[in-house]
Structure formats: structure tokens, C-alpha cells
Amino acid sequence: MPAEEIRGTAQGTAPATLSVLDLVTVGAGRTATDALRTSVELAKLTESRGFHRYWVAEHHSMPGVASSSPAVILAHLAAHTDRIRLGSGGVMLPNHAPLVIAEQFGTLEAMAPGRIDLGLGRAPGTDGATAAALRRTQTLHEGADDFPEQLVELTRFLDDDFPDGHPYRRIHAVPGPIQSTSPGGVQSPHRPPIWLLGSSGFSARLAATLGLPFAFAHHFSAQYTVPALDLYREQFRPSEVLQEPYALIGVSALATDDENEARRQVLAASLNMVRLRTGRPGLVPTPEEAEAYEFSPMERDFITSWNANVIHGTADEVRSGLDDLQKRTGADELMITSHAHSGELRLRSYELIADAYGLPTS
């Protein structure tokens, strides 16, 4: 896979490429239909403003996150966009048979040639019981432990190149690799580039060994960001995909016209996270509900720590925070996820960030 298919070009005056991570969040009083409509609007908006890629993440059994089926959502977004790269951030590979993922993303590549990314994670994206239901097994750690082997199998299906004698040699993921023609008339197979996602050193090391691009979940594992990126860069081995390391980080950021409104929305998102971490997942509460909620001392400690890594405020404040983070981590790309109760505020956040960076308006 040519490196230019992975590396974006920084837009406007941005110090790093800017992209979008959409969790398809559902606010209290809203529906999954509302959230998915917002995703379409957001994809169209960020495409028009010059964001490089748009990823959706796989989560399960969370009422406030309507992104359990990334491939389905990506197909819908592909029908409403023309240029922006679309991908998974990510598909949790242990939940699926590699052949199924190869077929899904081969289909997406056929729908939107040259625009699809396949980001892969090894976590379940849910609780243990739900993971067991997804995998039809009670051995909850088996999938994560087998991740490198699953990755090899998936790559073979995507490339349609199992060796002679392999039991899957005559099995083909259809649609398979697309034949693309270079300016010189040379045909070569093309399929979605694979990214490895992680929140610790395991995926950083594996991505480095395989010469793959790496996406780190800074938005929920900030204390490990710099060590993981350092590990990835130190151990990186050039490959046919990349000649040098390329890393993006997921960043939680919310820009609003009024600084106080940003604080209110972040508090609501914090309450949602408290409930999720204590086994009570639900819809994203309203700011009014969050302001009326009596946080325990332990909960307040948690949200203080959590919000230390949420960049929020006015557009200029958010840009400053993003710039500082990019300089501190050296990330090649910032993938922004904005959490707010309403879809309208999420749309507005990306618009304000685009304005702060002087991104194109059409």
C-alpha cells in the first residue's frame, strides 16, 4: 500500500493533519436515528472543511453510543460523501471472524475506492458478558491473545494470497483487491490500508514490527501516549506500506461559542463516563441533569482526572490546546472526538475548530 494513501496533507495552517472520530453519541431525549443523521451531517461538514479522515468506533451494549456496526455506518456515510477518507477506529477484531471483516471492508472499498481505512483493535469494545455473547464463547481472553494470528489471517484474506497448501487457499473474500492502474499503466491490487489501534504498548510494538500506521487512544489513556508513541517510533521497521512511522492520536476536544457552555457539556459527558465506569451505561445526560447530580468525592476525583485530558473552551482555547498536545507528542495527525449532549453542538464544535485553523470553507 503506497504511503500516500495513509499520510494526509495538513490543511490550511494546521500543524498536523486533522481528522474526526465519531462515536455516534445519543443524548437523553434523542434517538439513535437522530445520532446517525447527525453523523451524516458531520461527515459532510468536515469533508467540506478539509478534515482528512472520518472514523467510527465499534462499541456494544452502550445505549449512548450507536456505533455497534461500523461497516454499516461507513457504507451510509460513503453514499453521502465524495472525498473524505472513511474508516473504523476501530473494528474490534476478536469479536469477528477475519473473513467477515475482509468481506465487509472489501465491499466498502468497492463502494468508495481509495477512501477506506481499516483500523483494528484487540479489545472487545464492551463488557465481558457482551464480548462472550458476540464471540459465542466463554473464553473471554482468547480473542485478544490470538490477535496477531487473526491479523495475519485477515491480511491474507484482504490480499487474497494464502500460500499453496493452506486450508484457506481456495477461499476468497469477495469483493477482493481492486486492480488499480498507475500513470505508467502498471496494474496493482489495491485494498484498504490496515491501521493498528491501541491504548498501551502492545499494539504500538506490533504496528512497529509490521511497519503499519498506528493510532493511539489518547482520549482515554493519556498517561501512556508518549511512552507508546516512543516505543512505536523506536521499534519501527520500514515496510511496503510505510517507510517511516506514522502515528495519529485520538483527542477529546469540544469548542463552543461560550466558554461556560463548554464546561457544562463536559460535565454532562463526565457524568455519562462515571455511569459507564460503574456499570450503568445510558444516554448522554443533559447539562441540567449533570449540574443537579450529587457527585461523590470518589466520582469527583475521577472526573477531575478524566477532564484533565479533555480540551475544551472557545475555538482559540481549543486550538491552543491541540497545538500544545501535537508538539508534546509529535503526532502526525490529531483525530478529534467531540462529546456533547446535542448533535447541533457537536457540529458547531468542528466548525469552530475548522475556523480556528483557517481550513477551507467549501
Side-chain angles (χ1 to χ4, degrees):
M1 214 64 54
E4 59 267 22
E5 294 176 0
I6 295 165
R7 181 180 298 278
T9 300
Q11 305 289 338
T13 57
T17 301
L18 299 180
S19 292
V20 180
L21 175 62
D22 182 9
L23 302 187
V24 197
T25 50
V26 186
R30 312 294 174 94
T31 66
T33 299
D34 296 327
L36 290 164
R37 285 174 177 164
T38 296
S39 292
V40 172
E41 293 179 40
L42 183 56
K44 293 165 68 174
L45 169 68
T46 51
E47 177 177 70
S48 71
R49 296 306 306 267
F51 286 77
H52 183 57
R53 70 183 90 237
Y54 191 110
W55 283 3
V56 295
E58 177 186 346
H59 291 85
H60 299 279
S61 198
M62 298 180 188
V65 180
S67 58
S68 59
S69 302
V72 176
I73 296 171
L74 293 172
H76 188 55
L77 297 180
H80 290 84
T81 56
D82 300 306
R83 303 181 306 279
I84 195 168
R85 294 194 66 85
L86 302 170
S88 56
V91 163
M92 302 297 106
L93 186 55
N95 295 339
H96 311 278
L99 175 58
V100 172
I101 300 305
E103 291 174 335
Q104 289 178 353
F105 278 77
T107 301
L108 287 168
E109 182 67 27
M111 291 177 173
R115 288 207 291 142
I116 303 299
D117 298 324
L118 175 50
L120 299 169
R122 70 186 187 105
T126 186
D127 60 89
T130 306
L134 285 163
R135 302 173 191 175
R136 306 297 295 172
T137 176
Q138 297 303 311
T139 309
L140 300 183
H141 299 292
E142 180 180 349
D145 293 341
D146 292 344
F147 181 78
E149 291 76 17
Q150 290 178 308
L151 177 61
V152 170
E153 184 177 311
L154 172 59
T155 304
R156 290 288 192 185
F157 276 125
L158 287 170
D159 290 333
D160 196 23
D161 69 348
F162 281 103
D164 290 338
H166 194 282
Y168 295 160
R169 180 66 181 89
R170 296 186 178 182
I171 300 175
H172 308 282
V174 179
I178 295 174
Q179 293 294 324
S180 59
T181 304
S182 70
V186 178
Q187 285 197 336
S188 59
H190 175 90
R191 49 84 165 164
I194 289 176
W195 289 69
L196 292 192
L197 280 58
S199 56
S200 66
F202 179 90
S203 292
R205 186 178 292 106
L206 184 58
T209 299
L210 298 176
L212 294 175
F214 179 53
F216 188 84
H218 173 82
H219 54 299
F220 65 79
S221 192
Q223 68 271 33
Y224 299 115
T225 303
V226 171
L229 294 186
D230 286 346
L231 180 64
Y232 171 64
R233 293 170 181 135
E234 290 166 1
Q235 299 193 8
F236 182 84
R237 300 177 185 175
S239 68
E240 293 182 0
V241 176
L242 285 177
Q243 289 302 302
E244 58 186 37
Y246 188 87
L248 70 74
I249 58 175
V251 185
S252 182
L254 181 71
T256 58
D257 292 288
D258 175 63
E259 185 178 354
N260 183 60
E261 185 58 34
R263 287 194 294 268
R264 297 177 73 241
Q265 294 295 329
V266 167
L267 182 65
S270 299
L271 175 56
N272 186 58
M273 185 55 62
V274 164
R275 289 171 171 168
L276 177 63
R277 289 295 180 94
T278 54
R280 300 171 291 152
L283 304 181
V284 178
T286 64
E288 291 76 16
E289 181 181 357
E291 288 170 337
Y293 182 84
E294 294 186 8
F295 291 91
S296 69
M298 184 176 297
E299 290 172 339
R300 288 196 176 280
D301 288 343
F302 169 78
I303 64 173
T304 296
S305 175
W306 182 264
N307 289 338
N309 299 302
V310 179
I311 300 171
H312 62 284
T314 63
D316 288 341
E317 289 172 331
V318 169
R319 169 163 183 170
S320 177
L322 292 174
D323 287 349
D324 289 345
L325 178 64
Q326 192 276 329
K327 290 174 183 176
R328 180 162 58 85
T329 63
D332 299 286
E333 189 168 339
L334 301 179
M335 180 164 274
I336 300 167
T337 182
S338 292
H339 300 288
H341 170 262
S342 77
E344 293 81 5
L345 278 172
R346 292 178 60 230
L347 289 163
R348 182 60 177 158
S349 177
Y350 287 97
E351 192 170 27
L352 288 170
I353 292 171
D355 288 344
Y357 278 103
L359 299 189
T361 57
S362 61

